[in-house]
Amino acid sequence: MMRIDKCLAHLGYGTRKDVKKIIRSGIVSINGVICTKEDFKFDEENDELSIDGVNVLYSKYVYIMLNKPQGVISATEDGLHETVLNCIQDSTKGLFPVGRLDIDTEGLCLISNDGQLAHDLLSPKKHVAKTYYVEISNPLTSEHIKLLESGITIDGDELCKPANVKILTDNSLELTIMEGKFHQVKRMMIACDSEVTYLKRLTIGSLVLDSELELGEWRYLTDQELESLKQ
Ligand code: URA
């Protein structure tokens, strides 16, 4: 059971004061009955909540995949640039990007308010694989590929875990890494005497970027995607 004002605040309908106003205005109904009391308790899992005639689904946790475009920052707030949260139309409180993509990196960005899932996916101990599509300035040699596959040293002294390399063309590859060091893919390519010219994340663990999503488009994860991501 949950208080209606708390529920609306969680769903992003504004401050406590805003929410109180909304409830008192008589546009909130529960199981078809108008509710004007902000301390009214209801069963948020089973009761039918509607606001201004529109049914609203409550869930504590929200999981979103965004096809992040370039120029957008993986942060919750930024004074200068658009953030990944500005790209989505879900105002649930406490949403954040799970892991960071550089401003010029495109592709799969997971957004959630589930701290436990974020911790599990980002923990270096869990070795969650992330696959990137990478375009590079100079082709990799077979020596470079061997180094990447056995664990390349970046910036002179930082050892990476073995990566998976799938060469596509002279200037493009898919790279799968099990960790998330700062600018890792770019630094790995520099260590191979090359440079990233385009970078796109394709997967995080079992989660695959939906090819139907254009740049800047987003959708909620399916139950199936969420279940396998949590395993
Ligand atoms: N590696 C990078 O260098 N940049 C990213 O955005 C992600 C991985």
Side-chain angles (χ1 to χ4, degrees):
M1 297 292 274
M2 189 179 203
R3 275 176 66 130
I4 182 70
D5 54 355
K6 194 169 167 208
C7 173
L8 294 196
H10 177 82
L11 289 169
Y13 281 87
T15 61
R16 280 193 96 92
K17 217 168 145 188
D18 298 332
V19 161
K20 207 168 165 176
K21 245 193 210 163
I22 293 173
I23 297 167
R24 294 217 170 149
S25 75
I27 60 167
V28 177
S29 67
I30 293 163
N31 297 330
V33 178
I34 289 175
C35 167
T36 51
K37 276 168 48 188
E38 66 264 20
D39 62 352
F40 186 80
K41 283 202 176 122
F42 75 116
D43 177 354
E44 73 277 13
E45 308 277 338
N46 297 304
D47 288 342
E48 202 179 275
L49 170 66
S50 90
I51 298 170
D52 221 359
V54 178
N55 279 1
V56 176
L57 279 183
Y58 175 83
S59 58
K60 186 171 177 197
Y61 293 124
V62 171
Y63 306 90
I64 286 169
M65 74 158 78
L66 164 72
N67 186 359
K68 178 191 163 308
Q70 294 186 13
V72 170
I73 302 254
S74 287
T76 51
E77 275 179 0
D78 189 88
L80 204 58
H81 298 96
E82 213 188 340
T83 71
V84 289
L85 294 191
N86 301 137
C87 296
I88 58 169
Q89 286 76 49
D90 184 302
S91 50
T92 303
K93 271 195 171 165
L95 290 177
F96 59 88
V98 178
R100 283 175 176 262
L101 289 178
D102 296 336
I103 188 165
D104 55 355
T105 302
E106 293 180 354
L108 179 60
C109 176
L110 175 64
I111 297 172
S112 181
N113 53 350
D114 183 344
Q116 183 62 51
L117 180 78
H119 176 265
D120 289 346
L121 291 176
L122 297 175
S123 164
K125 288 187 198 136
K126 306 266 174 163
H127 311 297
V128 175
K130 280 141 291 198
T131 300
Y132 293 85
Y133 167 74
V134 194
E135 290 181 5
I136 48 176
S137 55
N138 303 319
L140 302 183
T141 64
S142 51
E143 279 310 304
H144 290 138
I145 297 169
K146 271 190 211 149
L147 273 175
L148 289 166
E149 287 174 338
S150 59
I152 197 165
T153 301
I154 52 180
D155 288 335
D157 62 353
E158 220 177 317
L159 182 62
C160 295
K161 292 199 166 63
N164 233 303
V165 182
K166 184 171 149 196
I167 298 293
L168 301 173
T169 68
D170 274 357
N171 293 92
S172 63
L173 63 144
E174 277 181 20
L175 187 66
T176 302
I177 56 177
M178 307 291 174
E179 46 198 342
K181 296 180 192 295
F182 186 61
H183 295 326
Q184 181 161 346
V185 175
K186 290 175 182 164
R187 289 157 73 209
M188 288 169 98
M189 292 304 111
I190 289 171
C192 293
D193 305 319
S194 192
E195 204 180 322
V196 170
T197 55
Y198 173 81
L199 188 57
K200 176 180 187 175
R201 183 156 62 194
L202 304 173
T203 71
I204 303 172
S206 61
L207 187 64
V208 180
L209 177 66
D210 186 336
S211 59
E212 301 276 303
L213 290 179
E214 301 283 342
L215 280 171
E217 288 186 344
W218 64 281
R219 68 160 171 78
Y220 296 105
L221 298 201
T222 63
D223 290 346
Q224 211 174 6
E225 283 171 333
L226 182 59
E227 208 173 292
S228 29
L229 196 58
K230 281 184 171 175
Q231 271 166 12

